[in-house]
Amino acid sequence: MKQKTMYLCSECGYENAKWFGKCPSCGAWNTMGEFKVKPETATRGVANFTRGTSRPTLLHEIETNDESRFYSGIGELDRVLGGGAVHGSFVLVGGEPGIGKSTLLLQMCQEMCRNAKVLYVSGEESLRQIKLRAARLEIKSPNLFVLAETDMEQIINETELLAPDVLIVDSIQTVYKRDLTAAPGGTTQIKECSMSLMQYAKNKNVTIFVVGHVNKEGTLAGPKILEHMVDCVLYFEGERNGPFRCLRAAKNRFGSTNEIGVFEMSDHGLLEVTNPSAAMLAGHPSGAAGNCIACVMEGSRPILAEVQALVAKTQFGVPRRTAAGVDYNRMVLLLAILEKRAGLFLSSSDAYVNVVGGMRLDEPAVDLPMVLAIVSSFRDKPLPEGVMSFGEVGLTGELRAVSSASQRINEAYRLGFHTCIMPMQDVDENLMHQMNIVRVHTVGEAIQAVL
Ligand code: TYD
Ligand code: MG
């Protein structure tokens, strides 16, 4: 039977039997690439149906062993995976080039190969380079296998021969299948190679970690085509020049996607940060105007972080606004609320907001600390020592309750804060004695209370 030719958009993954100059799905020009599909062998219909190996099974008859997870040996990574990696799962680790993905996975190998057979395949570095990196990371394990290869068939063959429990492929953009005409790193290659690895993972019950570089727009290169196939998508993010890195689950079939893992990049690789609040607050200036400590919940864990703001008179034209670590639109919205509901004249001021340490705070609870930092900078008046806050701000300037208030206050107390500005909501009786808890109805009241 003749091989069928399909066309695939490298931007959005749209497939069609016809070629288009402009992709009908995403509208990008000149992105449709050709790829060959294997001809279907069996004709459709029950009459010609030959039974394969898979059968409909009763759900309650399926046997699983409880021991289906194993620890990667890195606590922060296990936390994000939802309590260790699941046997036979397919994990995609995404992040910008140079953020530390290879470092993280090589360090994970070191821990994993204590009680599992691990194969690390690199398509980016030679064996010598891997060895040099391992030396820098002080990886001395005698039973870690490495392979420098980019040909997918070779990788699968070698993996079959070695039969490891864990396979790491670094990165999906460098591997290719010879029978495809498309270049490595393109959508077709990424899709096909991932499918082969996926099938291998499910058939042989091997856990596979695949590295995928993310392009500037923050999407996994070879767009989102991998996300729906894999079991877990972890993003490794942070500022490249800053020390802290965050590992976040964007998708997890075996756990929650709320947890984050925090790491610090050092000369000897990544170190786990088990007490992120203390790390984020290190070097926190006292008595400076324009900062406020926030407490956000990352999964089950409260984390304190410093929100900084700088409000300065606009020299000419439209005022500048930038936000790092918080949502830009949210910041602009809060500025508008301050102008309208608290009577602050901010429309002729530039405003910059930054979260220290390169963390990204996406929770609404960061609204109030952001407001306090902005007003503190605007008035050039520092917040009193030992004050922290959290709370969501509504469009009428009212403060709205957030989840896990007691846990947040507890964490702040543990790190030596004595006053908490928060919305009107219940907290633990015991905490009322430990902390000075100021509950306020509106943004105006919050500003009055501390500034
Ligand atoms: P790498 O893991 O190669 O990034 P990726 O695989 O995501 O592209 O990390 C590269 C960066 O990490 C590089 O800029 C240097 C830094 N680094 C350290 O600071 N300390 C170390 O011990 C190592 C191995 C790397
Ligand atoms: Mg790398």
Side-chain angles (χ1 to χ4, degrees):
M1 207 186 273
K2 220 178 127 239
Q3 265 205 339
K4 220 168 126 195
T5 305
M6 292 289 283
Y7 297 90
L8 186 84
C9 170
S10 61
E11 284 295 318
C12 66
Y14 173 79
E15 266 178 47
N16 203 309
K18 258 173 46 193
W19 185 86
F20 290 95
K22 179 184 176 191
C23 171
S25 166
C26 69
W29 285 93
N30 220 2
T31 52
M32 301 289 282
E34 181 182 323
F35 79 103
K36 298 255 187 293
V37 232
K38 293 242 166 70
E40 282 179 38
T41 40
T43 39
R44 280 165 208 242
V46 179
N48 304 329
F49 179 64
T50 44
R51 293 197 87 173
T53 44
S54 53
R55 296 269 190 282
T57 314
L58 286 171
L59 180 66
H60 85 117
E61 284 176 3
I62 301 171
E63 286 185 24
T64 54
N65 11 350
D66 292 336
E67 276 276 277
S68 58
R69 278 183 194 268
F70 62 102
Y71 291 107
S72 69
I74 301 179
E76 294 290 300
L77 176 61
D78 286 332
R79 171 198 292 279
V80 180
L81 286 170
V86 172
H87 283 291
S89 64
F90 190 104
V91 182
L92 176 67
V93 182
E96 280 176 33
I99 202 79
K101 301 178 294 295
S102 307
T103 310
L104 176 71
L105 290 178
L106 207 56
Q107 281 181 261
M108 179 189 82
C109 288
Q110 137 117 327
E111 300 297 326
M112 276 189 172
C113 66
R114 285 182 217 279
N115 35 31
K117 202 186 226 180
V118 182
L119 173 62
Y120 177 89
V121 181
S122 179
E124 303 193 338
E125 294 168 302
S126 65
L127 289 178
R128 205 182 107 80
Q129 282 173 315
I130 301 173
K131 177 78 187 172
L132 286 174
R133 184 198 289 264
R136 187 159 168 205
L137 299 175
E138 287 167 18
I139 293 176
K140 299 196 188 82
S141 172
N143 41 16
L144 169 62
F145 291 94
V146 290
L147 172 70
E149 182 60 76
T150 51
D151 185 337
M152 200 62 227
E153 265 153 56
Q154 295 290 348
I155 294 173
I156 296 276
N157 287 343
E158 291 298 337
T159 312
E160 297 236 10
L161 285 176
L162 187 71
D165 304 303
V166 183
L167 170 69
I168 288 116
V169 179
D170 186 359
S171 65
I172 194 72
Q173 272 94 0
T174 53
V175 293
Y176 70 98
K177 277 188 139 180
R178 248 180 298 163
D179 48 351
L180 299 175
T181 45
T187 328
T188 321
Q189 287 284 6
I190 290 181
K191 199 169 174 178
E192 290 289 321
C193 290
S194 309
M195 277 311 276
S196 303
L197 287 170
M198 188 79 184
Q199 274 160 6
Y200 187 80
K202 299 295 165 206
N203 290 341
K204 300 285 160 79
N205 206 25
V206 174
T207 306
I208 300 188
F209 288 83
V210 169
V211 170
H213 292 291
V214 168
N215 53 20
K216 280 221 185 66
E217 292 83 50
T219 49
L220 278 178
K224 302 262 172 190
I225 47 172
L226 290 189
E227 273 191 16
H228 71 275
M229 303 204 285
V230 304
D231 297 318
C232 291
V233 182
L234 309 183
Y235 279 104
F236 207 29
E237 50 190 37
E239 293 197 17
R240 253 173 86 173
N241 304 326
F244 296 110
R245 303 279 188 273
C246 260
L247 189 66
R248 223 178 256 282
K251 164 178 178 182
N252 193 348
R253 285 194 180 141
F254 312 110
S256 112
T257 50
N258 294 327
E259 302 288 344
I260 64 162
V262 185
F263 295 89
E264 185 180 349
M265 184 61 98
S266 76
D267 287 347
H268 300 287
L270 291 159
L271 306 175
E272 287 182 63
V273 179
T274 42
N275 188 352
S277 297
M280 296 297 158
L281 296 186
H284 164 55
S286 60
N291 70 58
C292 182
I293 305 300
C295 188
V296 292
M297 293 299 292
E298 289 291 356
S300 56
R301 188 160 57 161
I303 294 179
L304 293 176
E306 182 186 339
V307 181
Q308 292 189 330
L310 179 67
V311 179
K313 195 134 188 58
T314 307
Q315 289 307 322
F316 57 83
V318 189
R320 273 178 65 96
R321 268 92 215 256
T322 64
V326 291
D327 184 44
Y328 173 79
N329 292 323
R330 195 78 202 162
M331 167 201 167
V332 175
L333 181 75
L334 291 174
L335 288 173
I337 292 173
L338 279 176
E339 177 121 18
K340 187 96 179 163
R341 309 279 173 215
L344 267 73
F345 192 61
L346 289 162
S347 52
S348 62
S349 299
D350 294 342
Y352 310 91
V353 172
N354 175 42
V355 177
V356 180
M359 275 261 301
R360 214 188 139 70
L361 312 181
D362 281 325
E363 224 206 329
V366 77
D367 287 355
L368 182 57
M370 204 183 335
V371 161
L372 292 177
I374 291 171
V375 178
S376 161
S377 175
F378 182 69
R379 296 198 175 153
D380 215 359
K381 190 174 167 201
L383 261 75
E385 273 300 297
V387 172
M388 55 75 65
S389 72
F390 56 83
E392 182 178 349
V393 175
L395 291 188
T396 61
E398 87 279 17
L399 281 181
R400 313 201 69 107
V402 296
S403 64
S404 324
S406 304
Q407 252 179 296
R408 297 180 205 248
I409 298 171
N410 236 332
E411 176 76 357
Y413 177 70
R414 203 172 64 75
L415 281 136
F417 289 85
H418 55 67
T419 304
C420 171
I421 316 292
M422 60 174 285
M424 301 297 286
Q425 67 184 107
D426 290 337
V427 290
D428 254 353
E429 264 311 305
N430 296 342
L431 291 170
M432 303 290 274
H433 307 303
Q434 293 170 340
M435 285 272 268
N436 172 22
I437 294 176
V438 183
R439 282 182 281 194
V440 289
H441 290 97
T442 62
V443 184
E445 279 181 30
I447 297 170
Q448 234 169 28
V450 278
L451 287 165

